[in-house]
Amino acid sequence: MNYIVTGPICSGKSTFLDIAKKFGFNILKSDDLVTALYEDENIKYQLSEIFKIKIPDTAIKETIRKLFFKSQSNRMIIENILHPIVHSQIEYELRSNKNIFIELPPIKSNILLIKNNKSIYIECDINIRKKRYKNRHCEDDALSFNKINEYQSDSLLIRTYCDIIIINEYKEDSFNEYFEKDIIKS
């Protein structure tokens, strides 16, 4: 069985995917697909031309991230370049695999992938997510967390399309239970 796994930033998607791997599932993270696209010379060229900047190879991810959060129009430009490619790669993986979990952020452009496939939504209290973000980034970067969380503002809408809702209280055993009773048996 293939699943799309979604949920807001720091809700536990990566932990959940690590457990899926232990149960024999293949995993794919959309962030990894996007990161790989940053190495594509055509993508770099398009972004450099559109934004009229030289994107340094050593800081491409950070440069694009700054552009992305600078404005809504920048986000749309970047998404229009990257998302069709990422979605195509994900659709290919879903057709080619029988046992894959694919992580996708809960954003509007991902609704059809989430709606048209078996999907899991991982939910977690915002204060726990903020704390986890702070621990992961070794700083209190509330501004970055808030920008990403705001970008994922369609999360509750996306939740309504998911087949399985997991409330993550950071008890790894509860993730295991979902595999044993809801996922593997389906």
Side-chain angles (χ1 to χ4, degrees):
M1 181 69 63
N2 295 337
Y3 285 93
I4 301 288
V5 178
T6 193
I9 182 174
C10 293
S11 59
K13 296 180 298 291
S14 292
T15 302
F16 188 77
L17 291 176
D18 289 343
I19 293 169
K21 204 176 209 180
K22 290 177 187 175
F23 277 92
F25 290 91
N26 296 313
I27 63 166
L28 179 64
K29 295 181 180 182
S30 59
D31 286 348
D32 294 341
L33 295 174
V34 170
T35 298
L37 289 177
Y38 293 155
E39 302 303 315
D40 183 301
E41 292 302 321
N42 185 39
I43 299 287
K44 284 194 257 186
Y45 176 78
Q46 285 182 58
L47 293 170
S48 293
E49 289 295 307
I50 289 169
F51 292 111
K52 307 289 186 227
I53 60 169
K54 171 102 173 96
I55 300 177
D57 288 340
T58 56
I60 187 167
K61 189 172 184 176
E62 188 55 35
T63 302
I64 293 172
R65 180 184 168 100
K66 285 178 184 175
L67 287 167
F68 187 85
F69 285 114
K70 187 174 182 179
S71 71
Q72 176 67 29
S73 63
N74 284 3
R75 275 192 290 283
M76 290 177 65
I77 290 166
I78 294 167
E79 285 181 348
N80 286 338
I81 292 170
L82 300 178
H83 286 193
I85 299 166
V86 169
H87 288 177
S88 176
Q89 291 171 332
I90 288 171
E91 288 169 352
Y92 173 80
E93 292 296 331
L94 288 166
R95 285 190 311 272
S96 303
N97 288 284
K98 292 187 177 153
N99 245 0
I100 192 167
F101 278 64
I102 300 174
E103 175 275 327
L104 271 178
I107 56 175
K108 237 180 211 170
S109 66
N110 292 335
I111 285 179
L112 286 178
L113 278 169
I114 293 165
K115 189 177 179 180
N116 294 334
N117 292 283
K118 293 289 265 178
S119 56
I120 298 169
Y121 184 91
I122 300 180
E123 187 174 295
C124 185
D125 177 76
I126 190 166
N127 293 318
I128 294 171
R129 295 188 299 114
K130 283 180 181 179
K131 184 177 178 181
R132 189 167 191 203
Y133 185 86
K134 180 181 176 183
N135 291 341
R136 191 180 285 168
H137 295 279
C138 302
E139 58 188 60
D140 188 11
D141 191 0
L143 185 59
S144 289
F145 176 89
N146 290 338
K147 284 181 180 180
I148 296 167
N149 197 55
E150 181 182 318
Y151 174 61
Q152 298 176 349
S153 64
D154 294 309
S155 188
L156 292 177
L157 169 66
I158 288 168
R159 183 186 191 275
T160 64
Y161 297 117
C162 293
D163 301 291
I164 298 172
I165 310 296
I166 296 175
I167 309 299
N168 181 9
E169 297 172 344
Y170 290 103
K171 297 176 184 168
E172 194 168 309
D173 289 344
S174 65
F175 276 163
N176 287 320
E177 288 174 20
Y178 280 97
F179 279 92
E180 292 165 5
K181 69 177 190 187
D182 291 330
I183 297 168
I184 291 179
K185 294 189 177 175
S186 65

